Amino acid sequence: MDFSIKPIDPKTGLAGIKTGCIAVGVFEDKKLSQAAKELDRKGDISAALKSGDITGKAGTTLLLRATAGVAAERILLVGLGKDEPITEKNFVSAVQATARVFASLGAADGAIALPLEDVKARDAAWSACAAVLAMRDASYRFDSTKSKKEPAQGGVRKVTFLASGAGASAAKAATAQATAIANGMDLTRDLGNLPSNICTPTYLANTAKKLAKDFGFGIEVLERKQIEALKMGSFLSVTKGSEEPPKFIVLKHMGGKGKDAPTVLVGKGITFDTGGISLKPGANMDEMKYDMCGAASVLGTFRAIGEMGLKLNVIGVIPTCENMPSGRASKPGDIVTSMSGQTIEILNTDAEGRLILCDALTYVERFKPAAVVDIATLTGACVTALGHHNTGLFTRHDDAHDELADELLTAGKATGDTAWRMPIEDAYQEQLKSNFADMANIGGPPGGSITAACFLERYTKKYTWAHLDIAGTAWKSGAAKGATGRPVPLLTTFLLNRANGKKAA
Ligand code: BES
Ligand code: MN
Ligand code: ZN
C-alpha cells in the first residue's frame, strides 16, 4: 500500500480531484465538514444526511456513487461523531471505518479529505500517522502457511491524503514514519503468527542477520558454547529440555553520536512455552507460539528505526530458546546460578521468561546503557490485571524512573498503543523468598505480574530500567487469532522522541 500527500489545488478544489473514491467527514446532527461542504455541489451529501442513511456517529459510513459536479467516481461519507474539535477516539474510528471500506472497493486508488488538523490537542502529523496505521492494519494478511494463497486482494492500494498548506509537510514526514512503523509491525506479526516448528530460535537469529544486512546494523549471534562461557546458568536451565539450539542475539543500530550511551531493548524469545516439567494444560496451548513476541517486537522496532535512519544509538538483545519437558529438562526445586552470581530456586519451570531475561539483563550492563527496556509476554496475571487494552509498565519509583515511565506512557498514548503503570515495591519482593537459594522464581498467585517484575528488578540495579509485560496485548485469541504488532508503535515512538531530544510531554 502506497501513501502520498497532496496539497489541495485552490483552483480546482476537492471537486476537481480525479480518484476512485474520496473520503470526507460528516458530523452528527447532519453537520458537514468543510470538505463535505465543498463536494456538496448539487446537495447530494445534504440529502444523504437528511435521509437518515448516515447518522454521523463516529465510524459510520455511506458510499455515494457518481455525484454531480464531482470528478471522483465515489464519495465516502465518514462519521466523525459529535465533538469539535474531533476526539482522538472518534478520529481513529473514522479512519478504521475508511480503511474497511477502502479494502473492499472496486477502485485501486482513493483520497482522504478528513480534517487532519481538527483533532483535539493533536496535529496533522498525528492524524496522518493514525490513518496510515489503521489502513495498514486493515490490509495485513498472513497466508504464508496456507497451500492456497488468498486471491490477490482488490481494494484501494494507493492512498492520497489531501491536506491544506501548512499541514501538508508535517503530514508528509509523519506518513513516512508511520509507514516504517507499519513495516516493523508487519514483521513482528509475521514472526508471531509463524508456528514454532518454523519460527525457531535459529529462525529468529536468521531474521536478525537479514535485518542487519538490509539496514546496516551490527550483529552478533552467540551460540550455546559462548552462552556457557558467559555463565548464563539461568538462561541455559530453560533450554535444557529442548533439541533446538538456543541463541543469544545482539543487534546494534548506532545512529547517534559515537559516545552517546545506547538505549537498550531486551526481548523475551521463547519460541514455544510448554511450561516444561510444570506442564501447561492442553487447551489453547498453541498460543504459546506467541511467547517470542517480545523478541519479535524488538526485531520489528529495528526494522522501523533502520528504515527511518534514526539518529540514536539503540541495541537490541534477544535471549531465545524453547521451554520443553524432557529427561534432561529442569525440574521444580532445581537451583541454578545466574550470570549475576545470584542463585535461583526454580519452583515452577513455567516461570521461564524471567529466567532467560535475568541473564540478558546482566549481560547488557556492559553497554553502560542510557536506559534498558525489556519486553516480554511474561505473565497470565498481567492479562487478568489489565486485560487486552494496556501493556503493563513496571519500573522502580524514583525521579529517573518516573521520567522513563512517562516517556513510555506518552509514546503509547500518541500511537494508541497504550501502557499502564504498575507498582514495584519491597513488600512484593518478600514473596520471592526461598529457603534454599537467593530467590525463588515464583511469588505465588497474588500480584503475579508484579512479583515477576520484582524478580527482574533484582538484575537491573546498575541502570535505569523499565519492563513491559505484553502478555495481554501482543496477540488476539478467538476468531481473530493473530499477532497485533504491539508494542512496536510505542517502542518506535519512544525512540523517535529520544532521538529528537524530546522527553515525556
Ligand atoms: N508465557 C507465559 C505467560 C503467559 C501466559 C502469557 C498466558 C500469555 C498468556 C509465562 O511463561 C508463564 O507461563 N507464566 C506463568 C507464571 C507462573 C508459573 C508464576 C503464568 O502466567 O501462569
Ligand atoms: Mn511459561
Ligand atoms: Zn512463557
Side-chain angles (χ1 to χ4, degrees), residues 268 270 272-273 275 280 288 291 323 350-353 377-379:
K268 171 178 172 182
I270 295 290
F272 197 83
D273 181 12
K280 284 182 181 295
M288 283 301 121
D291 213 15
N323 186 23
D350 196 12
E352 85 298 341
T377 49
L378 202 63
T379 65

Side-chain angles (χ1 to χ4, degrees), residues 303-368:
R303 170 87 181 66
I305 65 173
E307 184 174 326
M308 286 175 189
L310 191 75
K311 292 197 163 38
L312 190 73
N313 293 335
V314 186
I315 299 178
V317 171
I318 295 171
T320 173
C321 68
E322 288 181 336
N323 186 23
M324 297 290 283
S326 97
R328 268 190 291 276
S330 291
K331 302 169 290 297
D334 286 2
I335 294 177
V336 297
T337 303
S338 65
M339 184 181 177
S340 72
Q342 300 178 90
T343 61
I344 304 162
E345 185 184 13
I346 303 175
L347 287 177
N348 189 319
T349 64
D350 196 12
E352 85 298 341
R354 61 200 79 180
L355 294 177
I356 70 169
L357 288 169
C358 70
D359 281 341
L361 289 168
T362 301
Y363 179 86
V364 303
E365 285 174 5
R366 68 189 56 205
F367 302 126
K368 302 198 166 42

Side-chain angles (χ1 to χ4, degrees), residues 242-255:
S242 168
E243 302 287 328
E244 284 291 336
K247 306 277 168 180
F248 191 92
I249 306 166
V250 183
L251 263 180
K252 292 186 181 172
H253 168 83
M254 298 313 234

Side-chain angles (χ1 to χ4, degrees), residues 62 230 273 490:
L62 181 69
L230 285 162
D273 181 12
L490 180 159

